[in-house]
Amino acid sequence: MLTVNELIRFSLFSSLTAEDVFPLLPHLQERHYRRGQLLFVEGEIGTCVYFVHSGQVKLTKRTPEGDEQILDWYGPYDSFAEILLLEAGPYPATAEVLQDSVLFVLNNEIMPQILDISPSLSLALIRTLSRRLRLAQEFIRILTNRSTSGILAALFMRLAQPATTPGSPIFIDASITHRDLANMIGTSREYVNRAINGWKKAGILKLVDDRLEIIKPHELAEWP
């Protein structure tokens, strides 16, 4: 059972109070998925937004040549498909479960009623969606102005998870393979291997157990 304190851990609701998000709780349906299941496919008409409580999900598109292009990667307390938060429409990508996961699903049919009674929720959602649009535009700018290693560095910063304790480094889940990273930016696995090994030698990255820690995030963020 999801609590209001857990709900405000999701970035979509992080600027809200427990009182703000309380009306949403009865409408979030808990669902369990197995590794390899598809939540939806590109072009399918949908009405639901997804919230990851545990596990991992990836979003992909097919290129005109039929190759898989990874768009994003989601873990605990991430949400996706927010484009359908207010009205039904086609999913812009395919969502696949990468490991056994628990997700909460919100159908957009209830949103007009909830937003009418909660102006603070409406404002928070507008701010969050606007911020995500700016980030997407910034990433597009990076794609057209940086070297391949610079694009990879920007991707690392985009995928980075918050530090688990104060003073600890941000990190990337090591279950994201070098091939996955290569597919995200349209390069080869070998290139990603070389770049990561170079950053390890420079002390920018460090592999610790099941995660790749970013020791010097400022250097990575400014990589040309």
Side-chain angles (χ1 to χ4, degrees):
M1 179 65 180
L2 196 66
T3 66
V4 288
N5 289 330
E6 285 183 298
L7 190 54
I8 59 178
R9 291 182 63 183
F10 288 93
S11 60
L12 191 60
F13 307 123
S14 59
S15 64
L16 297 176
T17 67
E19 184 179 0
D20 290 330
V21 300
F22 182 78
L24 290 171
L25 278 182
H27 306 288
L28 286 158
Q29 300 178 359
E30 181 176 342
R31 295 182 183 173
H32 295 248
Y33 296 94
R34 293 290 187 183
R35 177 181 178 181
Q37 280 189 262
L38 296 181
L39 303 177
F40 50 79
V41 297
E42 182 179 353
E44 177 184 347
I45 301 300
T47 59
C48 295
V49 180
Y50 292 80
F51 299 85
V52 183
H53 191 254
S54 64
Q56 282 185 333
V57 176
K58 71 174 178 180
L59 237 57
T60 63
K61 288 180 74 73
R62 285 289 173 184
T63 67
E65 294 76 25
D67 298 322
E68 181 184 82
Q69 177 76 51
I70 299 176
L71 300 181
D72 223 328
W73 203 281
Y74 301 99
Y77 299 103
D78 288 331
S79 58
F80 57 96
E82 295 94 337
I83 193 173
L84 301 184
L85 189 63
L86 299 179
E87 61 181 7
Y91 287 110
T94 297
E96 179 184 350
V97 177
L98 295 179
Q99 51 182 248
D100 291 355
S101 301
V102 177
L103 275 63
F104 285 86
V105 182
L106 178 66
N107 193 295
N108 63 27
E109 291 179 352
I110 194 63
M111 290 307 296
Q113 175 185 336
I114 291 177
L115 295 179
D116 279 344
I117 63 174
S118 180
S120 58
L121 179 58
S122 301
L123 183 58
L125 293 176
I126 291 171
R127 286 174 174 168
T128 298
L129 296 175
S130 177
R131 182 173 65 251
R132 293 191 178 189
L133 177 59
R134 290 197 303 272
L135 289 173
Q137 291 173 332
E138 173 63 14
F139 196 66
I140 291 172
R141 186 191 66 78
I142 288 171
L143 289 175
T144 58
N145 290 282
R146 288 195 185 184
S147 65
T148 303
S149 58
I151 294 171
L152 180 62
L155 178 63
F156 270 46
M157 297 304 297
R158 182 181 175 189
L159 295 175
Q161 300 292 315
T164 52
T165 57
S168 298
I170 60 176
F171 66 94
I172 297 172
D173 192 323
S175 65
I176 303 178
T177 68
H178 291 188
R179 185 173 298 280
D180 291 329
L181 293 167
N183 286 344
M184 287 184 182
I185 61 173
T187 189
S188 67
R189 180 176 58 84
E190 291 74 20
Y191 187 94
V192 172
N193 290 343
R194 290 195 300 271
I196 290 176
N197 288 335
W199 288 330
K200 286 180 182 177
K201 291 178 182 178
I204 295 173
L205 301 179
K206 182 180 180 182
L207 183 62
V208 178
D209 298 327
D210 60 348
R211 62 188 188 183
L212 195 60
E213 296 184 346
I214 302 177
I215 308 301
K216 299 178 180 178
H218 294 297
E219 290 192 27
L220 203 62
E222 296 173 1
W223 203 266

PDB file of all heavy atoms in Angstrom, residues 36-71:
ATOM      1  N   GLY A  36      10.714  -8.537 -18.660  1.00  0.00           N
ATOM      2  CA  GLY A  36      10.410  -8.805 -20.060  1.00  0.00           C
ATOM      3  C   GLY A  36       9.008  -8.408 -20.483  1.00  0.00           C
ATOM      4  O   GLY A  36       8.723  -8.360 -21.686  1.00  0.00           O
ATOM      5  N   GLN A  37       8.128  -8.102 -19.532  1.00  0.00           N
ATOM      6  CA  GLN A  37       6.774  -7.688 -19.902  1.00  0.00           C
ATOM      7  C   GLN A  37       6.780  -6.306 -20.536  1.00  0.00           C
ATOM      8  O   GLN A  37       7.565  -5.432 -20.149  1.00  0.00           O
ATOM      9  CB  GLN A  37       5.860  -7.675 -18.670  1.00  0.00           C
ATOM     10  CG  GLN A  37       5.339  -9.032 -18.258  1.00  0.00           C
ATOM     11  CD  GLN A  37       4.281  -8.922 -17.178  1.00  0.00           C
ATOM     12  OE1 GLN A  37       4.563  -9.078 -15.989  1.00  0.00           O
ATOM     13  NE2 GLN A  37       3.048  -8.640 -17.585  1.00  0.00           N
ATOM     14  N   LEU A  38       5.903  -6.107 -21.506  1.00  0.00           N
ATOM     15  CA  LEU A  38       5.713  -4.799 -22.110  1.00  0.00           C
ATOM     16  C   LEU A  38       4.526  -4.114 -21.447  1.00  0.00           C
ATOM     17  O   LEU A  38       3.439  -4.689 -21.334  1.00  0.00           O
ATOM     18  CB  LEU A  38       5.452  -4.930 -23.613  1.00  0.00           C
ATOM     19  CG  LEU A  38       6.591  -5.496 -24.461  1.00  0.00           C
ATOM     20  CD1 LEU A  38       6.180  -5.546 -25.932  1.00  0.00           C
ATOM     21  CD2 LEU A  38       7.871  -4.673 -24.305  1.00  0.00           C
ATOM     22  N   LEU A  39       4.734  -2.887 -21.017  1.00  0.00           N
ATOM     23  CA  LEU A  39       3.650  -2.115 -20.412  1.00  0.00           C
ATOM     24  C   LEU A  39       2.767  -1.493 -21.485  1.00  0.00           C
ATOM     25  O   LEU A  39       1.553  -1.426 -21.347  1.00  0.00           O
ATOM     26  CB  LEU A  39       4.219  -1.022 -19.512  1.00  0.00           C
ATOM     27  CG  LEU A  39       5.149  -1.495 -18.394  1.00  0.00           C
ATOM     28  CD1 LEU A  39       5.703  -0.300 -17.628  1.00  0.00           C
ATOM     29  CD2 LEU A  39       4.405  -2.432 -17.458  1.00  0.00           C
ATOM     30  N   PHE A  40       3.408  -1.004 -22.540  1.00  0.00           N
ATOM     31  CA  PHE A  40       2.702  -0.469 -23.697  1.00  0.00           C
ATOM     32  C   PHE A  40       3.688  -0.389 -24.846  1.00  0.00           C
ATOM     33  O   PHE A  40       4.905  -0.491 -24.652  1.00  0.00           O
ATOM     34  CB  PHE A  40       2.092   0.910 -23.412  1.00  0.00           C
ATOM     35  CG  PHE A  40       3.036   1.910 -22.810  1.00  0.00           C
ATOM     36  CD1 PHE A  40       3.968   2.593 -23.576  1.00  0.00           C
ATOM     37  CD2 PHE A  40       2.986   2.195 -21.454  1.00  0.00           C
ATOM     38  CE1 PHE A  40       4.838   3.523 -23.030  1.00  0.00           C
ATOM     39  CE2 PHE A  40       3.852   3.122 -20.883  1.00  0.00           C
ATOM     40  CZ  PHE A  40       4.779   3.789 -21.674  1.00  0.00           C
ATOM     41  N   VAL A  41       3.167  -0.262 -26.061  1.00  0.00           N
ATOM     42  CA  VAL A  41       4.024  -0.183 -27.238  1.00  0.00           C
ATOM     43  C   VAL A  41       3.822   1.160 -27.929  1.00  0.00           C
ATOM     44  O   VAL A  41       2.772   1.803 -27.800  1.00  0.00           O
ATOM     45  CB  VAL A  41       3.754  -1.334 -28.229  1.00  0.00           C
ATOM     46  CG1 VAL A  41       4.074  -2.670 -27.600  1.00  0.00           C
ATOM     47  CG2 VAL A  41       2.309  -1.297 -28.707  1.00  0.00           C
ATOM     48  N   GLU A  42       4.836   1.580 -28.633  1.00  0.00           N
ATOM     49  CA  GLU A  42       4.812   2.864 -29.334  1.00  0.00           C
ATOM     50  C   GLU A  42       3.594   2.975 -30.248  1.00  0.00           C
ATOM     51  O   GLU A  42       3.303   2.069 -31.024  1.00  0.00           O
ATOM     52  CB  GLU A  42       6.095   3.002 -30.153  1.00  0.00           C
ATOM     53  CG  GLU A  42       6.241   4.297 -30.897  1.00  0.00           C
ATOM     54  CD  GLU A  42       7.544   4.375 -31.677  1.00  0.00           C
ATOM     55  OE1 GLU A  42       8.389   3.461 -31.530  1.00  0.00           O
ATOM     56  OE2 GLU A  42       7.713   5.340 -32.442  1.00  0.00           O
ATOM     57  N   GLY A  43       2.866   4.065 -30.119  1.00  0.00           N
ATOM     58  CA  GLY A  43       1.688   4.291 -30.948  1.00  0.00           C
ATOM     59  C   GLY A  43       0.390   3.804 -30.343  1.00  0.00           C
ATOM     60  O   GLY A  43      -0.695   4.202 -30.804  1.00  0.00           O
ATOM     61  N   GLU A  44       0.466   2.957 -29.327  1.00  0.00           N
ATOM     62  CA  GLU A  44      -0.747   2.460 -28.670  1.00  0.00           C
ATOM     63  C   GLU A  44      -1.458   3.609 -27.951  1.00  0.00           C
ATOM     64  O   GLU A  44      -0.826   4.447 -27.314  1.00  0.00           O
ATOM     65  CB  GLU A  44      -0.354   1.374 -27.661  1.00  0.00           C
ATOM     66  CG  GLU A  44      -1.502   0.813 -26.836  1.00  0.00           C
ATOM     67  CD  GLU A  44      -1.016  -0.182 -25.788  1.00  0.00           C
ATOM     68  OE1 GLU A  44       0.159  -0.612 -25.858  1.00  0.00           O
ATOM     69  OE2 GLU A  44      -1.820  -0.521 -24.899  1.00  0.00           O
ATOM     70  N   ILE A  45      -2.768   3.657 -28.055  1.00  0.00           N
ATOM     71  CA  ILE A  45      -3.533   4.689 -27.382  1.00  0.00           C
ATOM     72  C   ILE A  45      -3.670   4.320 -25.909  1.00  0.00           C
ATOM     73  O   ILE A  45      -4.062   3.207 -25.566  1.00  0.00           O
ATOM     74  CB  ILE A  45      -4.929   4.859 -28.002  1.00  0.00           C
ATOM     75  CG1 ILE A  45      -4.794   5.230 -29.488  1.00  0.00           C
ATOM     76  CG2 ILE A  45      -5.714   5.932 -27.257  1.00  0.00           C
ATOM     77  CD1 ILE A  45      -4.042   6.522 -29.738  1.00  0.00           C
ATOM     78  N   GLY A  46      -3.320   5.263 -25.040  1.00  0.00           N
ATOM     79  CA  GLY A  46      -3.346   4.979 -23.617  1.00  0.00           C
ATOM     80  C   GLY A  46      -3.949   6.106 -22.802  1.00  0.00           C
ATOM     81  O   GLY A  46      -4.169   7.211 -23.304  1.00  0.00           O
ATOM     82  N   THR A  47      -4.182   5.805 -21.525  1.00  0.00           N
ATOM     83  CA  THR A  47      -4.762   6.796 -20.608  1.00  0.00           C
ATOM     84  C   THR A  47      -4.041   6.807 -19.269  1.00  0.00           C
ATOM     85  O   THR A  47      -4.494   7.479 -18.343  1.00  0.00           O
ATOM     86  CB  THR A  47      -6.246   6.475 -20.352  1.00  0.00           C
ATOM     87  OG1 THR A  47      -6.350   5.156 -19.782  1.00  0.00           O
ATOM     88  CG2 THR A  47      -7.058   6.534 -21.631  1.00  0.00           C
ATOM     89  N   CYS A  48      -2.921   6.087 -19.151  1.00  0.00           N
ATOM     90  CA  CYS A  48      -2.313   5.869 -17.837  1.00  0.00           C
ATOM     91  C   CYS A  48      -0.904   6.447 -17.714  1.00  0.00           C
ATOM     92  O   CYS A  48      -0.128   6.441 -18.675  1.00  0.00           O
ATOM     93  CB  CYS A  48      -2.252   4.376 -17.522  1.00  0.00           C
ATOM     94  SG  CYS A  48      -3.885   3.613 -17.364  1.00  0.00           S
ATOM     95  N   VAL A  49      -0.612   6.916 -16.502  1.00  0.00           N
ATOM     96  CA  VAL A  49       0.724   7.344 -16.112  1.00  0.00           C
ATOM     97  C   VAL A  49       1.256   6.303 -15.125  1.00  0.00           C
ATOM     98  O   VAL A  49       0.506   5.782 -14.299  1.00  0.00           O
ATOM     99  CB  VAL A  49       0.690   8.733 -15.451  1.00  0.00           C
ATOM    100  CG1 VAL A  49       2.089   9.179 -15.047  1.00  0.00           C
ATOM    101  CG2 VAL A  49       0.060   9.747 -16.399  1.00  0.00           C
ATOM    102  N   TYR A  50       2.560   6.012 -15.206  1.00  0.00           N
ATOM    103  CA  TYR A  50       3.157   4.945 -14.408  1.00  0.00           C
ATOM    104  C   TYR A  50       4.145   5.498 -13.390  1.00  0.00           C
ATOM    105  O   TYR A  50       4.927   6.410 -13.692  1.00  0.00           O
ATOM    106  CB  TYR A  50       3.868   3.946 -15.322  1.00  0.00           C
ATOM    107  CG  TYR A  50       2.934   3.149 -16.201  1.00  0.00           C
ATOM    108  CD1 TYR A  50       2.417   3.696 -17.370  1.00  0.00           C
ATOM    109  CD2 TYR A  50       2.554   1.853 -15.854  1.00  0.00           C
ATOM    110  CE1 TYR A  50       1.541   2.973 -18.177  1.00  0.00           C
ATOM    111  CE2 TYR A  50       1.682   1.129 -16.658  1.00  0.00           C
ATOM    112  CZ  TYR A  50       1.181   1.690 -17.817  1.00  0.00           C
ATOM    113  OH  TYR A  50       0.323   0.979 -18.603  1.00  0.00           O
ATOM    114  N   PHE A  51       4.138   4.901 -12.191  1.00  0.00           N
ATOM    115  CA  PHE A  51       5.032   5.288 -11.109  1.00  0.00           C
ATOM    116  C   PHE A  51       5.775   4.034 -10.630  1.00  0.00           C
ATOM    117  O   PHE A  51       5.153   3.059 -10.208  1.00  0.00           O
ATOM    118  CB  PHE A  51       4.250   5.905  -9.953  1.00  0.00           C
ATOM    119  CG  PHE A  51       3.496   7.150 -10.345  1.00  0.00           C
ATOM    120  CD1 PHE A  51       2.232   7.064 -10.924  1.00  0.00           C
ATOM    121  CD2 PHE A  51       4.055   8.396 -10.146  1.00  0.00           C
ATOM    122  CE1 PHE A  51       1.535   8.206 -11.297  1.00  0.00           C
ATOM    123  CE2 PHE A  51       3.374   9.550 -10.516  1.00  0.00           C
ATOM    124  CZ  PHE A  51       2.115   9.455 -11.099  1.00  0.00           C
ATOM    125  N   VAL A  52       7.108   4.067 -10.694  1.00  0.00           N
ATOM    126  CA  VAL A  52       7.911   2.894 -10.334  1.00  0.00           C
ATOM    127  C   VAL A  52       8.167   2.893  -8.833  1.00  0.00           C
ATOM    128  O   VAL A  52       8.823   3.793  -8.297  1.00  0.00           O
ATOM    129  CB  VAL A  52       9.250   2.889 -11.085  1.00  0.00           C
ATOM    130  CG1 VAL A  52      10.032   1.609 -10.752  1.00  0.00           C
ATOM    131  CG2 VAL A  52       9.041   3.014 -12.586  1.00  0.00           C
ATOM    132  N   HIS A  53       7.648   1.886  -8.157  1.00  0.00           N
ATOM    133  CA  HIS A  53       7.904   1.733  -6.721  1.00  0.00           C
ATOM    134  C   HIS A  53       9.150   0.904  -6.485  1.00  0.00           C
ATOM    135  O   HIS A  53       9.961   1.211  -5.599  1.00  0.00           O
ATOM    136  CB  HIS A  53       6.700   1.089  -6.039  1.00  0.00           C
ATOM    137  CG  HIS A  53       6.764   1.124  -4.546  1.00  0.00           C
ATOM    138  ND1 HIS A  53       7.035   0.025  -3.782  1.00  0.00           N
ATOM    139  CD2 HIS A  53       6.609   2.160  -3.669  1.00  0.00           C
ATOM    140  CE1 HIS A  53       7.046   0.355  -2.507  1.00  0.00           C
ATOM    141  NE2 HIS A  53       6.785   1.643  -2.404  1.00  0.00           N
ATOM    142  N   SER A  54       9.331  -0.135  -7.277  1.00  0.00           N
ATOM    143  CA  SER A  54      10.556  -0.944  -7.221  1.00  0.00           C
ATOM    144  C   SER A  54      10.768  -1.578  -8.597  1.00  0.00           C
ATOM    145  O   SER A  54       9.817  -1.778  -9.351  1.00  0.00           O
ATOM    146  CB  SER A  54      10.455  -2.034  -6.148  1.00  0.00           C
ATOM    147  OG  SER A  54       9.429  -2.967  -6.461  1.00  0.00           O
ATOM    148  N   GLY A  55      12.022  -1.868  -8.925  1.00  0.00           N
ATOM    149  CA  GLY A  55      12.337  -2.472 -10.215  1.00  0.00           C
ATOM    150  C   GLY A  55      12.874  -1.462 -11.210  1.00  0.00           C
ATOM    151  O   GLY A  55      13.288  -0.360 -10.852  1.00  0.00           O
ATOM    152  N   GLN A  56      12.852  -1.849 -12.496  1.00  0.00           N
ATOM    153  CA  GLN A  56      13.376  -1.002 -13.562  1.00  0.00           C
ATOM    154  C   GLN A  56      12.539  -1.158 -14.827  1.00  0.00           C
ATOM    155  O   GLN A  56      12.058  -2.248 -15.137  1.00  0.00           O
ATOM    156  CB  GLN A  56      14.827  -1.364 -13.901  1.00  0.00           C
ATOM    157  CG  GLN A  56      15.856  -0.837 -12.923  1.00  0.00           C
ATOM    158  CD  GLN A  56      17.259  -1.134 -13.405  1.00  0.00           C
ATOM    159  OE1 GLN A  56      17.481  -2.094 -14.134  1.00  0.00           O
ATOM    160  NE2 GLN A  56      18.205  -0.320 -12.993  1.00  0.00           N
ATOM    161  N   VAL A  57      12.422  -0.049 -15.554  1.00  0.00           N
ATOM    162  CA  VAL A  57      11.695  -0.027 -16.821  1.00  0.00           C
ATOM    163  C   VAL A  57      12.505   0.800 -17.808  1.00  0.00           C
ATOM    164  O   VAL A  57      13.112   1.802 -17.433  1.00  0.00           O
ATOM    165  CB  VAL A  57      10.289   0.613 -16.645  1.00  0.00           C
ATOM    166  CG1 VAL A  57       9.573   0.727 -17.981  1.00  0.00           C
ATOM    167  CG2 VAL A  57       9.448  -0.192 -15.650  1.00  0.00           C
ATOM    168  N   LYS A  58      12.529   0.371 -19.076  1.00  0.00           N
ATOM    169  CA  LYS A  58      13.192   1.191 -20.092  1.00  0.00           C
ATOM    170  C   LYS A  58      12.188   1.592 -21.167  1.00  0.00           C
ATOM    171  O   LYS A  58      11.217   0.878 -21.440  1.00  0.00           O
ATOM    172  CB  LYS A  58      14.381   0.466 -20.724  1.00  0.00           C
ATOM    173  CG  LYS A  58      14.022  -0.686 -21.651  1.00  0.00           C
ATOM    174  CD  LYS A  58      15.284  -1.239 -22.330  1.00  0.00           C
ATOM    175  CE  LYS A  58      14.943  -2.427 -23.233  1.00  0.00           C
ATOM    176  NZ  LYS A  58      16.150  -2.972 -23.905  1.00  0.00           N
ATOM    177  N   LEU A  59      12.442   2.755 -21.753  1.00  0.00           N
ATOM    178  CA  LEU A  59      11.621   3.293 -22.837  1.00  0.00           C
ATOM    179  C   LEU A  59      12.433   3.268 -24.125  1.00  0.00           C
ATOM    180  O   LEU A  59      13.576   3.727 -24.143  1.00  0.00           O
ATOM    181  CB  LEU A  59      11.207   4.738 -22.522  1.00  0.00           C
ATOM    182  CG  LEU A  59       9.705   5.047 -22.495  1.00  0.00           C
ATOM    183  CD1 LEU A  59       9.011   4.153 -21.491  1.00  0.00           C
ATOM    184  CD2 LEU A  59       9.472   6.504 -22.160  1.00  0.00           C
ATOM    185  N   THR A  60      11.860   2.716 -25.191  1.00  0.00           N
ATOM    186  CA  THR A  60      12.577   2.593 -26.454  1.00  0.00           C
ATOM    187  C   THR A  60      11.692   2.999 -27.632  1.00  0.00           C
ATOM    188  O   THR A  60      10.467   3.010 -27.538  1.00  0.00           O
ATOM    189  CB  THR A  60      13.049   1.140 -26.683  1.00  0.00           C
ATOM    190  OG1 THR A  60      11.895   0.276 -26.783  1.00  0.00           O
ATOM    191  CG2 THR A  60      13.939   0.660 -25.558  1.00  0.00           C
ATOM    192  N   LYS A  61      12.352   3.323 -28.729  1.00  0.00           N
ATOM    193  CA  LYS A  61      11.687   3.551 -30.011  1.00  0.00           C
ATOM    194  C   LYS A  61      12.403   2.726 -31.068  1.00  0.00           C
ATOM    195  O   LYS A  61      13.556   2.335 -30.899  1.00  0.00           O
ATOM    196  CB  LYS A  61      11.747   5.036 -30.406  1.00  0.00           C
ATOM    197  CG  LYS A  61      10.851   5.942 -29.589  1.00  0.00           C
ATOM    198  CD  LYS A  61      10.963   7.367 -30.042  1.00  0.00           C
ATOM    199  CE  LYS A  61      10.254   7.618 -31.365  1.00  0.00           C
ATOM    200  NZ  LYS A  61       8.788   7.622 -31.238  1.00  0.00           N
ATOM    201  N   ARG A  62      11.735   2.494 -32.172  1.00  0.00           N
ATOM    202  CA  ARG A  62      12.349   1.824 -33.311  1.00  0.00           C
ATOM    203  C   ARG A  62      12.777   2.864 -34.339  1.00  0.00           C
ATOM    204  O   ARG A  62      12.011   3.756 -34.690  1.00  0.00           O
ATOM    205  CB  ARG A  62      11.370   0.840 -33.957  1.00  0.00           C
ATOM    206  CG  ARG A  62      11.173  -0.428 -33.145  1.00  0.00           C
ATOM    207  CD  ARG A  62      12.395  -1.316 -33.173  1.00  0.00           C
ATOM    208  NE  ARG A  62      12.278  -2.457 -32.260  1.00  0.00           N
ATOM    209  CZ  ARG A  62      13.253  -3.331 -32.048  1.00  0.00           C
ATOM    210  NH1 ARG A  62      14.404  -3.177 -32.676  1.00  0.00           N
ATOM    211  NH2 ARG A  62      13.072  -4.315 -31.211  1.00  0.00           N
ATOM    212  N   THR A  63      14.020   2.751 -34.796  1.00  0.00           N
ATOM    213  CA  THR A  63      14.498   3.655 -35.835  1.00  0.00           C
ATOM    214  C   THR A  63      13.922   3.215 -37.175  1.00  0.00           C
ATOM    215  O   THR A  63      13.397   2.098 -37.301  1.00  0.00           O
ATOM    216  CB  THR A  63      16.034   3.618 -35.910  1.00  0.00           C
ATOM    217  OG1 THR A  63      16.442   2.315 -36.371  1.00  0.00           O
ATOM    218  CG2 THR A  63      16.653   3.888 -34.544  1.00  0.00           C
ATOM    219  N   PRO A  64      13.989   4.062 -38.199  1.00  0.00           N
ATOM    220  CA  PRO A  64      13.504   3.655 -39.533  1.00  0.00           C
ATOM    221  C   PRO A  64      14.181   2.386 -40.042  1.00  0.00           C
ATOM    222  O   PRO A  64      13.600   1.649 -40.852  1.00  0.00           O
ATOM    223  CB  PRO A  64      13.847   4.869 -40.409  1.00  0.00           C
ATOM    224  CG  PRO A  64      13.828   6.020 -39.464  1.00  0.00           C
ATOM    225  CD  PRO A  64      14.393   5.486 -38.182  1.00  0.00           C
ATOM    226  N   GLU A  65      15.405   2.122 -39.563  1.00  0.00           N
ATOM    227  CA  GLU A  65      16.132   0.915 -39.986  1.00  0.00           C
ATOM    228  C   GLU A  65      15.721  -0.314 -39.174  1.00  0.00           C
ATOM    229  O   GLU A  65      16.184  -1.420 -39.439  1.00  0.00           O
ATOM    230  CB  GLU A  65      17.646   1.130 -39.836  1.00  0.00           C
ATOM    231  CG  GLU A  65      18.221   2.196 -40.764  1.00  0.00           C
ATOM    232  CD  GLU A  65      17.905   3.604 -40.289  1.00  0.00           C
ATOM    233  OE1 GLU A  65      17.686   3.789 -39.065  1.00  0.00           O
ATOM    234  OE2 GLU A  65      17.870   4.521 -41.134  1.00  0.00           O
ATOM    235  N   GLY A  66      14.864  -0.116 -38.159  1.00  0.00           N
ATOM    236  CA  GLY A  66      14.397  -1.246 -37.355  1.00  0.00           C
ATOM    237  C   GLY A  66      15.210  -1.502 -36.106  1.00  0.00           C
ATOM    238  O   GLY A  66      14.955  -2.464 -35.379  1.00  0.00           O
ATOM    239  N   ASP A  67      16.205  -0.649 -35.822  1.00  0.00           N
ATOM    240  CA  ASP A  67      17.021  -0.824 -34.628  1.00  0.00           C
ATOM    241  C   ASP A  67      16.310  -0.240 -33.409  1.00  0.00           C
ATOM    242  O   ASP A  67      15.480   0.665 -33.523  1.00  0.00           O
ATOM    243  CB  ASP A  67      18.382  -0.139 -34.799  1.00  0.00           C
ATOM    244  CG  ASP A  67      19.184  -0.738 -35.952  1.00  0.00           C
ATOM    245  OD1 ASP A  67      19.109  -1.974 -36.125  1.00  0.00           O
ATOM    246  OD2 ASP A  67      19.872   0.020 -36.660  1.00  0.00           O
ATOM    247  N   GLU A  68      16.689  -0.741 -32.235  1.00  0.00           N
ATOM    248  CA  GLU A  68      16.122  -0.229 -30.991  1.00  0.00           C
ATOM    249  C   GLU A  68      16.920   0.967 -30.506  1.00  0.00           C
ATOM    250  O   GLU A  68      18.130   0.902 -30.357  1.00  0.00           O
ATOM    251  CB  GLU A  68      16.133  -1.326 -29.919  1.00  0.00           C
ATOM    252  CG  GLU A  68      15.545  -0.882 -28.588  1.00  0.00           C
ATOM    253  CD  GLU A  68      15.646  -1.943 -27.518  1.00  0.00           C
ATOM    254  OE1 GLU A  68      16.714  -2.071 -26.890  1.00  0.00           O
ATOM    255  OE2 GLU A  68      14.654  -2.662 -27.310  1.00  0.00           O
ATOM    256  N   GLN A  69      16.226   2.061 -30.236  1.00  0.00           N
ATOM    257  CA  GLN A  69      16.845   3.266 -29.684  1.00  0.00           C
ATOM    258  C   GLN A  69      16.307   3.459 -28.277  1.00  0.00           C
ATOM    259  O   GLN A  69      15.113   3.663 -28.082  1.00  0.00           O
ATOM    260  CB  GLN A  69      16.512   4.490 -30.537  1.00  0.00           C
ATOM    261  CG  GLN A  69      17.057   5.801 -29.985  1.00  0.00           C
ATOM    262  CD  GLN A  69      18.546   5.955 -30.227  1.00  0.00           C
ATOM    263  OE1 GLN A  69      19.006   5.802 -31.346  1.00  0.00           O
ATOM    264  NE2 GLN A  69      19.286   6.268 -29.179  1.00  0.00           N
ATOM    265  N   ILE A  70      17.196   3.346 -27.276  1.00  0.00           N
ATOM    266  CA  ILE A  70      16.770   3.530 -25.895  1.00  0.00           C
ATOM    267  C   ILE A  70      16.640   5.017 -25.603  1.00  0.00           C
ATOM    268  O   ILE A  70      17.572   5.788 -25.821  1.00  0.00           O
ATOM    269  CB  ILE A  70      17.761   2.879 -24.918  1.00  0.00           C
ATOM    270  CG1 ILE A  70      17.844   1.371 -25.168  1.00  0.00           C
ATOM    271  CG2 ILE A  70      17.343   3.134 -23.473  1.00  0.00           C
ATOM    272  CD1 ILE A  70      18.875   0.650 -24.324  1.00  0.00           C
ATOM    273  N   LEU A  71      15.482   5.417 -25.093  1.00  0.00           N
ATOM    274  CA  LEU A  71      15.226   6.823 -24.794  1.00  0.00           C
ATOM    275  C   LEU A  71      15.480   7.161 -23.334  1.00  0.00           C
ATOM    276  O   LEU A  71      15.985   8.244 -23.022  1.00  0.00           O
ATOM    277  CB  LEU A  71      13.780   7.180 -25.143  1.00  0.00           C
ATOM    278  CG  LEU A  71      13.349   6.992 -26.589  1.00  0.00           C
ATOM    279  CD1 LEU A  71      11.900   7.414 -26.744  1.00  0.00           C
ATOM    280  CD2 LEU A  71      14.240   7.793 -27.526  1.00  0.00           C
TER     281      LEU A  71
END
